[in-house]
Amino acid sequence: MSKKIRTEAVDYLFKAILSLKNKEECYIFFEDICTINELLSLSQRFEVAKMLREQKTYLEIAEQTGASTATISRVNRSLNYGNDGYDMVFERIDKEEEKKDD
């Protein structure tokens, strides 16, 4: 069963996130809105996605991140059958890092 994600409340949350100006503001906001475990879980999933894109094995990913194989599998499913959100962000991060190297 699919949950409806596009709600006014989610729109307002995203508006708040988009208003953040730098990494320090992100830390301040996310430390207030998330528990430490929620934030660490989100960052772990993002790291898992990055490592999957780098062709790391499930075993390597599990050892380096502490993620369960169920989490790795879920992230892999999102990478392969999701909305390409991870790839969109990875491309932007890569472009930003290339600019810094120039």
Side-chain angles (χ1 to χ4, degrees), residues 13 26-27 29-47 71 86:
L13 172 63
C26 287
Y27 274 103
F29 179 74
F30 281 96
E31 284 182 38
D32 281 351
I33 199 165
C34 295
T35 66
I36 292 171
N37 286 338
E38 288 169 337
L39 192 52
L40 292 175
S41 291
L42 289 171
S43 65
Q44 181 188 63
R45 283 185 219 134
F46 194 65
E47 184 67 16
T71 296
Y86 282 114

Side-chain angles (χ1 to χ4, degrees), residues 37-98:
N37 286 338
E38 288 169 337
L39 192 52
L40 292 175
S41 291
L42 289 171
S43 65
Q44 181 188 63
R45 283 185 219 134
F46 194 65
E47 184 67 16
V48 166
K50 180 177 178 281
M51 293 178 77
L52 285 167
R53 280 293 181 241
E54 294 169 349
Q55 304 295 309
K56 304 288 185 190
T57 67
Y58 275 37
L59 183 59
E60 290 173 306
I61 295 168
E63 287 176 352
Q64 289 183 25
T65 66
S68 68
T69 55
T71 296
I72 298 168
S73 179
R74 222 173 291 124
V75 171
N76 194 41
R77 196 174 320 115
S78 291
L79 286 170
N80 291 321
Y81 304 108
N83 295 314
D84 298 325
Y86 282 114
D87 289 329
M88 174 182 63
V89 172
F90 289 144
E91 286 175 20
R92 290 179 183 169
I93 289 171
D94 289 345
K95 284 180 185 176
E96 191 63 34
E97 289 178 357
E98 285 174 11

